[in-house]
């Protein structure tokens, strides 16, 4: 039986997308590889979720439950413990093969697919950390799962490399569970996590944050267990400065050095990739270069807040539902270019065949700018100019474009101007 | 009383064990680590060299060429992976072209099949990313790539099937000569008796030799090599092993396609004091990056998933030292087995037994020797129909544990329970590749941990990452003291 | 004693100093002063953590204080949580410890356990 829409991944993104599509009376199937819905929210037991979506503060599992309840209420079909092992498209039909203990290999087909597969953590391999490669160097998210879901502490003397939010949250969690958390080192001169997390997770417990510092040596004992790390201050070119070495005796180095969208399932589809987001390019409807293939949430771009994942995925769900009913010829669209001081921008195309769909753009700056102006231009014409204060890479910014302002030809440029 | 104690379960020790199992001998392999092939045999370039480098007439040259041929046999018998990549040695200018000619002559003298010099244009037909500055290449069609850990694993598994014993976590702490035999002390407590000792301990060969011999003819001067691994999505970026011209320090920084699709970049070559420390450095990896650029254009360093270092047991003897101790009959040393040690390994084993030990006149053949070992199915490489078929027989093949590499519950459970099974995270990774992909175990390590706990009936608290002392967890939360 | 704060009222994150004489500097707006005053007098936090269960499928279940508790009591709350073991299926929102340490806050489940 051919479905209207298959949603891959039942976390914050997939739940919101499936709900939105189902609310437009589409036949939706949600596929989740874990034994429960909610994805990574299940291990994010801290609060701070829901302020945008529900105007109330929840923990991760509570936030997930709000969506799971709604999905149940709408009687959305879903599969648990099921891994999608291949995704292809023939003519107008998407073909998915899944594997599971209960059902073995199964084939599913659909008119549209929404990818909400989240992201994975950057590991030690993706950056160079000099020294040994012992047990005890572990990504913060993995340690979080062990701690919050399974009830095991990966160590008792902890240092954290990278000030991403998961690292900050884990600093507090491990401290509360009795570990001594000796510090957090951040390569950049500013934190990569939300300021509130610096205050609530580090300052509350007197955990030092070493900005412009990195780990320059990892030492193991003969049993390949971590025993010591050295951190050093870095200069503007991120080179370690001699004489600034600080040594810490630790059994654990948690890595919170970034997240990368997980789009490996798209390997066999002709999607246009974006080296800036490390994901794929989309138009304003969250549609990739493959018609009917939508993507949202952290598999599209890594968000700071789950609320924004939900909102973006909800839009993708609505657009996928629209797609089922639309008669349209997909266009490549007007490119949206990341200009001065812009790390990336989404969507990367504005496709007029999507008619009057709202155009919500997201971007991150490349650096911390105290006073900036956002300039969005096309063919020398200003589409948006607005003042932004305290722009930092750690916090995603958004703006909205009006399709009526956009010319049918000519790239759109997004720049940040540094104001004095 | 053992006939042979083999110390070291690296690619050399395990090949010797397998060759020995062709004879009616009582033999045991002692390994100090928690698994086979955990040191030098685990961290190297994985290349079966064709033989363009070793000095003609040397043992290195002879055993390299012979070993390269023997890998075809190992592939058939032991089901080990072999990538017939071929190799290009590259030259950038006239002076390098002259050196290339020199290595062609060496190759011809060493009887390397098919060695010849071709133009860079011709080479670019199959290797489009070749660095633009390259002018000529020496092509070596018999160069292959394998998974060295699996070579050792398969040899050991097959040797065990044919009667050889294996003991891990067994550090040899003392060797004593009695009237007509030796006493081997393990971990300062257990003693076993043996008529012969084979010392295949890589970087420790000189130290083990010195446990008995008063003078040792070779000294290991270890060299460290650092590498990057590029994600398997980069498969095809290079198809051949790409070598620069060799130098005193070795074969230089290479680009090597791996059997599982990754591309290896490295190694550098640094003499080190500590034989057992395999740390990586900013400088080493920067050197590797800079030199890789001389082989190919636009090496995708943003696709690095891992960096590591390996130790090579270079010795001051300059050739392989495969000899009986001058002082102690029945004590055999395999010293200075650096590159092309992996390439030569199966030949080294045969050479040791026939030319050094003279085994044929000492022990009768093992008539029940079975040379074959069959690898368990690899789910990810099967067609959908084959996958479905397997799942019908064994439903746990349906449960994907490692998403990046598509490794299933059945494969992991089999790896836990196999005769040479492992109960560690790293052991399972080496056997199944669970955790070897993009996320480096970020997702599946927890699931593997739970499977090990379930299958062995132990608490997660006692599950180790690698060595028995490297437990994953320090403690359980919310347990009142 | 001189005290330093990072204001969390807005993303600006002002570094605010309260000097020994009680004067406040470093804030870029008045809201910073309000924030610092609360932090100085009675800082409170929501505590989130887990408690043990007897169920092997869910060995830990997440909990929180249903209202902020005094910051200095956080570690004491953690100690109380170590004494709890969930033995029967319970729902999200169910109270595990009532009025913990007389703070007026209850410990509630933030997810359902085996229900």
């Amino acid at each position: 039986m051919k479905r209207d829409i298959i949603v891959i991944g039942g976390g914050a993104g997939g739940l919101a997308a499936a709900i939105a599509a189902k609310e437009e009376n589409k036949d939706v199937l949600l596929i989740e590889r874990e034994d429960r819905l909610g994805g990574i929210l299940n291990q994010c037991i801290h609060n701070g979720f829901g302020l945008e979506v529900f105007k109330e503060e929840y923990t991760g599992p509570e936030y997930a439950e709000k969506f799971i309840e709604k999905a149940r209420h709408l009687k959305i079909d879903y599969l648990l413990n099921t891994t999608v092992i291949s995704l292809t498209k023939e003519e107008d039909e998407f073909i998915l093969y899944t594997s599971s203990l209960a059902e073995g290999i199964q084939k599913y087909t659909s008119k549209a697919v929404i990818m909400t597969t989240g992201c994975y953590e950057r590991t030690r391999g993706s950056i160079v950390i000099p020294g040994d490669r012992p047990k005890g160097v572990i990504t913060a998210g993995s340690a979080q799962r062990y701690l919050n879901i399974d009830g095991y502490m990966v160590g008792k003397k902890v240092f954290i490399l990278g000030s991403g939010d998961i690292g900050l949250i884990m600093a507090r969690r491990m401290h509360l569970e009795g570990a001594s958390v000796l510090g957090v080192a951040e390569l950049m001169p500013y934190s990569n996590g939300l300021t509130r997390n610096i205050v609530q997770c580090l300052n509350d417990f007197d955990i030092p944050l070493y900005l412009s510092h990195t780990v320059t040596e990892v030492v193991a004992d003969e049993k390949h267990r971590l025993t010591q790390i050295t951190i050093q201050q870095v200069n503007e070119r991120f080179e370690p400065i001699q004489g600034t070495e600080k040594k810490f005796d630790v059994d654990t180095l948690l890595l919170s050095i970034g997240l990368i969208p997980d789009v490996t399932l798209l390997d066999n589809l002709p999607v246009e990739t974006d080296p800036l987001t490390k994901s794929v390019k989309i138009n304003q409807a969250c549609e990739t270069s493959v018609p009917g293939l939508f993507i949202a949430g952290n598999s599209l771009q890594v968000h700071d807040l789950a609320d924004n994942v939900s909102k973006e995925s909800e839009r993708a769900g609505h657009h996928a539902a629209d797609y089922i009913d639309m008669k349209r010829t997909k266009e490549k669209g007007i490119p949206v270019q990341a200009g001065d001081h812009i790390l990336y921008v989404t969507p990367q195309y504005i496709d007029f065949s999507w008619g009057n769909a709202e155009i919500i753009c997201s971007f991150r700056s490349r650096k911390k700018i105290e006073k900036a102006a956002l300039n969005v231009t096309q063919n020398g014409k200003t589409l948006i100019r607005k003042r932004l204060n305290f722009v930092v890479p750690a916090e995603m910014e958004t703006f909205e474009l009006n399709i009526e302002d956009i010319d049918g030809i000519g790239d759109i440029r997004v720049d940040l101007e540094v104001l004095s | 009383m053992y006939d042979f104690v083999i110390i070291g379960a690296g690619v050399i020790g395990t090949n010797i064990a397998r060759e020995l199992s062709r004879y009616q001998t009582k033999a045991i392999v002692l390994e100090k680590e928690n698994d086979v092939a955990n040191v030098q045999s685990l961290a190297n370039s994985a290349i079966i060299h064709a033989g363009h480098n070793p000095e003609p007439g040397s043992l290195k040259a002879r055993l390299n060429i012979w070993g390269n041929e023997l890998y075809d046999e190992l592939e058939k018998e032991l089901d080990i992976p072999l990538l017939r990549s071929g190799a290009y040695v590259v030259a950038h200018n006239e002076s390098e072209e002259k050196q290339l000619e020199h290595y062609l002559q060496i190759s011809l003298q060493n009887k390397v099949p098919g060695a010849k010099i071709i133009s860079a244009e011709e080479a670019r037909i199959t290797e489009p990313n070749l660095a633009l500055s390259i002018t000529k290449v020496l092509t070596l069609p018999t160069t292959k790539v394998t998974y060295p850990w699996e070579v050792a694993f398969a040899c050991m598994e097959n040797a065990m099937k044919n009667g050889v014993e294996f003991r891990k976590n067994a550090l040899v702490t003392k060797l004593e000569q009695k009237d007509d035999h030796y006493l081997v002390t393990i971990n300062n407590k257990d003693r076993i008796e043996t008529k012969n000792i084979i010392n295949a301990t890589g970087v420790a060969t000189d130290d083990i030799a010195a446990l008995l011999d008063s003078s040792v003819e070779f000294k290991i001067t270890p060299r460290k090599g650092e590498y990057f691994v590029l994600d398997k999505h980069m498969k095809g970026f290079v198809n051949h092993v790409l070598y620069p011209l060799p130098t005193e320090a070795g074969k230089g920084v290479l680009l090597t396609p791996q059997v599982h699709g990754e591309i290896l970049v490295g190694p550098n070559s640094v003499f080190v004091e500590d034989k057992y420390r395999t740390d990586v450095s900013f400088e080493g990896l920067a050197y590797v990056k800079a030199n890789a650029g001389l082989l190919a254009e636009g090496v995708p360093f943003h696709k690095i998933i891992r960096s590591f270092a390996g130790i090579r047991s270079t010795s001051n003897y300059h050739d392989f030292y495969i000899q009986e101790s001058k002082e102690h009959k029945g004590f055999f040393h395999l010293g200075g087995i650096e590159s092309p040690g992996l390439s030569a390994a199966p030949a080294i084993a045969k050479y040791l037994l026939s030319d050094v030990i003279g085994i044929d006149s000492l022990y009768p053949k093992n008539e029940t020797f079975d040379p074959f070992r069959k690898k368990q199915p690899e789910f990810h490489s099967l067609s959908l129909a084959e996958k479905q078929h397997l799942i019908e027989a064994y439903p746990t093949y349906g449960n994907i544990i490692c998403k990046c590499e598509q490794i299933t519950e059945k494969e992991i459970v089999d790896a836990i329970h196999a005769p040479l099974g492992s109960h560690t995270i790293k052991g399972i990774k080496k056997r199944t590749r669970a955790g070897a992909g993009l996320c480096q175990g970020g997702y599946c390590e927890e699931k593997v941990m739970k499977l090990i706990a379930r299958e062995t009936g132990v608490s997660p608290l006692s599950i180790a990452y690698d060595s028995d002392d490297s437990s994953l967890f320090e403690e359980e939360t919310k347990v009142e003291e | 004693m001189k005290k330093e704060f990072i204001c969390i009222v807005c993303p600006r994150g002002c570094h605010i100093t309260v000097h020994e004489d009680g004067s406040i500097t470093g804030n870029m707006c008045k809201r910073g002063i309000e924030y610092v005053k609360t932090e100085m007098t009675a800082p409170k936090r929501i505590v989130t953590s887990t408690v043990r269960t007897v169920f092997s499928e869910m060995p830990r279940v997440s909990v929180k204080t249903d209202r902020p508790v005094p910051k200095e009591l956080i570690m004491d709350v953690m100690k109380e949580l170590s004494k709890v073991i969930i033995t029967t299926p319970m729902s999200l929102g169910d109270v595990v410890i009532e009025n913990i340490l007389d703070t007026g806050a209850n410990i509630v489940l933030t997810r359902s356990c085996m229900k």
Side-chain angles (χ1 to χ4, degrees):
Chain A
M1 182 188 73
K2 187 168 173 174
R3 301 275 181 165
D4 286 336
I5 299 168
I6 291 178
V7 181
I8 307 174
L15 284 163
I19 288 167
K22 184 74 177 183
E23 281 179 335
E24 296 199 22
N25 295 314
K26 293 294 171 279
D27 171 34
V28 178
L29 175 67
L30 176 62
I31 303 177
E32 166 57 41
R33 67 184 179 183
E34 290 282 320
D35 60 1
R36 54 186 86 148
L37 293 171
I40 226 72
L41 288 168
N42 286 318
Q43 70 186 58
C44 297
I45 64 165
H46 53 279
N47 59 349
F49 297 84
L51 283 165
E52 290 266 333
V53 173
F54 300 111
K55 310 293 172 212
E56 235 183 289
E57 192 163 19
Y58 295 110
T59 64
E62 291 172 311
Y63 182 78
E65 189 58 30
K66 291 264 162 200
F67 288 89
I68 294 169
E69 258 173 39
K70 191 154 190 189
R72 282 210 194 97
H73 178 75
L74 291 170
K75 297 192 167 53
I76 291 173
D77 279 349
Y78 63 92
L79 301 169
L80 295 178
N81 298 308
T82 304
T83 307
V84 178
I85 57 172
S86 106
L87 170 60
T88 53
K89 190 182 185 192
E90 278 172 31
E91 313 248 311
D92 283 339
E93 185 174 80
F94 288 95
I95 301 164
L96 290 87
Y97 284 95
T98 62
S99 188
S100 70
L101 185 59
E103 304 282 339
I105 305 285
Q106 292 291 327
K107 180 182 177 179
Y108 296 91
T109 57
S110 68
K111 296 176 192 162
V113 163
I114 308 175
M115 278 275 291
T116 44
T117 47
C119 54
Y120 61 93
E121 294 182 280
R122 283 182 80 197
T123 64
R124 176 174 185 176
S126 49
I127 59 167
V128 174
I129 305 176
D132 297 312
R133 283 155 286 106
K135 170 257 156 186
V137 181
I138 180 172
T139 57
S142 300
Q144 185 182 47
R145 186 175 176 97
Y146 281 137
L147 182 55
N148 293 345
I149 304 286
D150 302 320
Y152 292 102
M153 291 276 275
V154 293
K156 296 284 284 177
K157 284 183 291 179
V158 184
F159 198 91
I160 297 167
L161 175 61
S163 61
D165 285 309
I166 316 169
L168 302 176
I169 295 286
M170 278 304 287
R172 174 174 64 184
R173 272 297 285 144
M174 295 202 68
H175 172 86
L176 290 182
E177 294 292 350
S180 51
V181 181
L182 301 170
V184 177
E186 168 58 52
L187 183 69
M188 305 305 282
Y190 45 80
S191 160
N192 264 317
L194 300 173
T195 311
R196 56 178 284 147
N197 284 334
I198 301 285
V199 175
Q200 295 175 14
C201 300
L202 301 187
N203 299 3
D204 269 6
F205 307 103
D206 299 320
I207 299 168
L209 171 62
Y210 299 94
L211 295 174
S212 295
H213 275 73
T214 194
V215 173
T216 53
E217 172 93 272
V218 170
V219 181
D221 63 11
E222 72 285 357
K223 304 288 187 188
H224 299 289
R225 294 174 299 202
L226 178 63
T227 55
Q228 192 184 62
I229 60 149
T230 305
I231 65 167
Q232 253 174 291
Q233 202 180 332
V234 297
N235 62 23
E236 317 78 63
R237 294 185 303 280
F238 305 117
E239 297 154 349
I241 301 169
Q242 292 268 315
T244 60
E245 294 85 353
K246 287 189 189 69
K247 291 185 190 302
F248 297 91
D249 293 331
V250 295
D251 58 24
T252 301
L253 177 63
L254 292 186
L255 303 179
S256 179
I257 52 179
L259 301 166
I260 303 174
D262 186 349
V263 287
T264 45
L265 250 187
L266 303 183
D267 283 352
N268 297 321
L269 286 167
V271 283
E272 189 182 347
T273 56
D274 185 348
L276 300 179
T277 57
K278 298 187 169 65
S279 177
V280 298
K281 293 188 177 178
I282 54 158
N283 57 32
Q284 70 270 36
C286 293
E287 186 191 28
T288 68
S289 52
V290 174
L293 176 65
F294 297 80
I295 186 166
N298 283 352
S299 52
L300 168 63
Q301 55 185 339
V302 175
H303 294 260
D304 319 320
L305 298 171
D307 293 60
N308 292 338
V309 168
S310 304
K311 281 158 67 179
E312 182 176 275
S313 303
E314 186 184 339
R315 291 202 302 274
H318 284 303
H319 293 313
D322 295 344
Y323 169 85
I324 304 294
D325 305 324
M326 270 167 100
K327 295 247 181 303
R328 94 185 219 277
T329 310
K330 187 182 191 307
E331 296 167 12
K332 181 152 187 186
I334 305 288
V336 182
Q337 304 279 10
D340 296 345
H341 307 305
I342 302 283
L343 192 62
Y344 68 75
V345 60
T346 65
Q348 292 86 346
Y349 291 107
I350 306 298
D351 178 346
F352 285 96
S353 71
W354 271 101
N356 53 5
E358 55 181 350
I359 306 175
I360 312 279
C361 301
S362 308
F363 71 93
R364 284 180 195 273
S365 70
R366 277 191 182 279
K367 60 175 192 177
K368 182 176 182 173
I369 307 173
E370 299 226 343
K371 288 183 181 141
L374 170 70
N375 293 322
V376 184
T377 54
Q378 187 191 26
N379 300 324
K381 184 180 75 181
T382 298
L383 304 179
I384 289 178
R385 181 173 169 86
K386 72 174 178 185
R387 267 289 288 274
L388 294 172
N389 287 334
F390 296 96
V391 184
V392 289
E395 291 180 25
M396 187 188 280
E397 304 276 347
T398 58
F399 61 90
E400 194 169 345
L401 286 175
N402 189 340
I403 192 114
E404 273 145 34
D405 298 341
I406 299 170
D407 290 344
I409 191 162
D411 293 7
I412 295 167
R413 250 187 89 102
V414 181
D415 295 285
L416 273 178
E417 185 184 332
V418 182
L419 304 175
S420 51
Chain B
M1 172 81 75
Y2 288 97
D3 295 310
F4 288 92
V5 165
I6 301 168
I7 313 175
V11 79
I12 303 296
T14 54
N15 263 287
I16 293 169
R18 177 168 183 259
E19 284 304 311
L20 261 183
S21 71
R22 294 178 190 270
Y23 297 88
Q24 293 180 32
T25 64
K26 184 171 162 59
I28 185 168
V29 179
L30 302 178
E31 170 55 53
K32 76 173 190 330
E33 297 281 316
N34 200 10
D35 201 355
V36 296
N38 213 30
V39 188
Q40 208 174 339
S41 303
L42 183 63
N44 58 71
S45 303
I47 302 169
I48 314 300
H49 301 285
H52 71 289
N53 196 17
E55 189 67 30
S58 65
L59 204 48
K60 272 188 183 174
R62 180 179 152 199
L63 297 180
N64 180 347
I65 312 298
W66 184 19
N68 182 301
E69 290 166 17
L70 287 173
Y71 269 94
D72 294 337
E73 203 175 298
L74 287 192
E75 183 193 30
K76 282 190 210 96
E77 293 180 345
L78 299 180
D79 210 5
I80 55 160
L82 218 49
L83 180 70
R84 291 184 169 75
S85 60
Y88 290 156
V89 188
V90 309
H92 295 85
N93 50 48
E94 265 182 50
S95 121
E96 289 195 356
E97 285 175 18
K98 275 199 193 110
Q99 292 182 60
L100 208 58
E101 185 62 40
H102 169 70
Y103 285 105
L104 172 64
Q105 292 312 317
I106 290 184
S107 305
L108 295 176
Q109 286 179 58
N110 285 343
K111 298 196 167 56
V112 173
K116 64 174 180 182
I117 291 175
I118 61 171
S119 69
E121 289 69 44
E122 194 182 339
R124 285 199 181 93
I125 296 170
T126 50
E127 215 55 88
N129 295 317
L130 215 55
L132 295 171
S133 52
I134 291 170
T135 52
K136 281 196 171 156
V137 312
L138 168 61
T139 170
L140 302 165
T142 58
T143 305
K144 304 158 202 165
V145 181
T146 187
Y147 175 27
W149 182 85
E150 194 172 344
V151 172
F153 178 75
C155 284
M156 196 62 241
E157 221 179 39
N158 188 239
M160 285 165 77
K161 189 178 184 183
N162 291 303
V164 177
E165 297 168 38
F166 174 67
R167 185 167 161 190
K168 60 186 177 182
N169 296 314
L171 177 70
V172 171
T173 48
K174 196 173 183 186
L175 294 176
E176 294 161 273
Q177 186 170 32
K178 298 292 165 190
D179 305 333
D180 61 341
H181 68 275
Y182 295 100
L183 211 52
V184 180
T185 307
I186 300 164
N187 301 332
N188 291 312
K189 54 176 204 283
D190 306 339
R191 285 191 180 77
I192 56 174
E193 296 178 322
T194 181
K195 290 178 189 154
N196 300 282
I197 300 169
I198 296 173
N199 171 17
T201 54
V203 288
T205 344
D206 52 352
D207 299 333
I208 293 288
L211 290 179
L212 268 179
D213 293 350
S214 57
S215 82
V216 181
E217 287 185 311
F218 59 94
K219 181 169 167 45
I220 304 293
T221 47
R223 281 185 302 127
K224 190 177 72 182
E226 294 166 67
Y227 296 87
F228 287 112
V229 184
L230 306 181
D231 175 46
K232 66 178 177 185
H233 285 82
M234 290 299 103
K235 186 175 177 175
F237 176 74
V238 292
N239 303 301
H240 293 72
V241 175
L242 298 186
Y243 296 100
L245 284 157
T247 65
E248 276 297 297
K251 294 191 177 69
V253 172
L254 324 174
L255 283 172
T256 310
Q258 299 287 291
V259 293
H260 299 112
E262 298 103 332
I263 292 170
L264 207 58
V265 192
N268 63 343
S269 177
V270 196
F271 282 104
V272 286
E273 294 284 315
D274 188 340
K275 288 179 173 185
Y276 303 102
R277 186 149 189 229
T278 53
D279 57 326
V280 295
S281 64
F282 281 134
E283 301 76 24
L285 293 172
Y287 176 89
V288 167
K289 274 191 182 179
N291 281 275
L294 300 173
L295 298 171
E297 293 296 324
V299 180
F301 289 115
H302 60 288
K303 294 288 184 183
I304 292 169
I305 55 166
R306 188 163 72 239
S307 57
F308 68 90
I311 291 285
R312 287 163 277 193
S313 40
T314 307
S315 86
N316 58 1
Y317 187 75
H318 298 300
D319 202 351
F320 292 154
Y321 185 95
I322 306 173
Q323 297 184 25
E324 187 168 14
S325 158
K326 302 276 188 300
E327 302 167 34
H328 298 95
K329 284 208 80 61
F331 188 24
F332 301 93
H333 303 309
L334 294 109
I337 312 289
E338 59 173 333
S339 178
L342 171 68
S343 320
I348 287 173
K350 285 187 189 292
Y351 171 81
L352 172 76
L353 295 199
S354 63
D355 292 36
V356 182
I357 298 177
I359 191 105
D360 283 308
S361 59
L362 299 174
Y363 295 94
K365 290 259 187 204
N366 173 5
E367 299 302 336
T368 62
F369 176 76
D370 175 2
F372 295 101
R373 169 252 179 194
K374 193 83 194 123
K375 181 152 62 182
Q376 296 290 329
E378 287 175 340
F379 183 81
H380 72 93
S381 62
L382 304 176
S383 70
L384 284 167
E386 289 168 323
K387 283 175 177 170
Q388 185 60 55
H389 191 72
L390 261 188
I391 292 172
E392 277 161 19
Y394 307 99
T396 50
Y397 271 117
N399 188 17
I400 310 274
I401 300 294
C402 165
K403 188 188 69 78
C404 301
E405 299 292 311
Q406 223 174 84
I407 310 299
T408 66
E409 178 181 334
K410 176 75 165 75
E411 291 164 277
I412 291 165
V413 170
D414 283 349
I416 294 168
H417 292 304
L420 196 46
S422 175
H423 300 169
T424 71
I425 299 293
K426 194 173 166 190
I428 297 303
K429 178 178 169 182
K430 286 179 288 191
R431 282 160 179 77
T432 64
R433 288 183 57 74
L438 259 187
C439 84
Q440 291 286 294
Y443 176 71
C444 70
E445 185 187 282
E446 183 226 24
K447 295 178 185 307
V448 172
M449 178 277 289
K450 285 182 173 168
L451 285 177
I452 297 172
R454 185 188 81 191
E455 293 297 312
T456 59
V458 303
S459 153
L461 283 172
S462 52
I463 291 174
Y465 177 73
D466 185 9
S467 76
D468 273 350
D469 307 280
S470 62
S471 55
L472 281 185
F473 307 121
E474 284 295 317
E475 63 180 35
E476 202 176 342
T477 63
K478 301 295 188 301
V479 180
E480 279 190 283
E481 281 120 48
Chain C
M1 225 187 65
K2 193 166 93 171
K3 283 193 112 172
E4 301 206 337
F5 296 89
I6 296 173
C7 180
I8 57 169
V9 176
C10 83
R12 186 177 291 176
C14 292
H15 289 253
I16 304 177
T17 308
V18 181
H19 299 273
E20 282 161 52
D21 63 359
S23 64
I24 296 173
T25 60
N27 58 305
M28 294 187 79
C29 75
K30 281 188 287 187
R31 289 178 300 172
I33 298 174
E34 293 297 312
Y35 169 76
V36 166
K37 282 185 174 164
T38 322
E39 277 296 291
M40 297 258 314
T41 49
K44 287 186 172 187
R45 299 286 186 264
I46 297 267
V47 178
T48 60
S49 186
T50 60
V51 294
R52 285 169 87 187
T53 81
V54 294
F55 307 107
S56 60
E57 300 94 322
M58 198 186 276
R60 295 292 180 280
V61 59
S62 53
V63 296
K64 68 174 184 185
T65 57
D66 63 1
R67 67 192 60 186
V69 296
K71 213 173 98 174
E72 70 271 13
L73 288 181
I74 291 177
M75 289 318 273
D76 298 313
V77 169
M78 290 299 291
K79 273 199 196 109
E80 293 302 307
L81 294 181
S82 291
K83 298 174 186 166
V84 176
I85 299 181
I86 305 284
T87 53
T88 54
M90 291 175 79
S91 300
L92 189 155
D94 285 357
V95 175
V96 180
I97 304 175
E98 255 179 75
N99 186 22
I100 188 163
L101 301 170
D102 276 331
T103 56
N106 301 317
I107 299 293
V108 296
L109 291 195
T110 57
R111 70 175 305 163
S112 298
C113 176
M114 307 307 290
K115 248 190 179 174

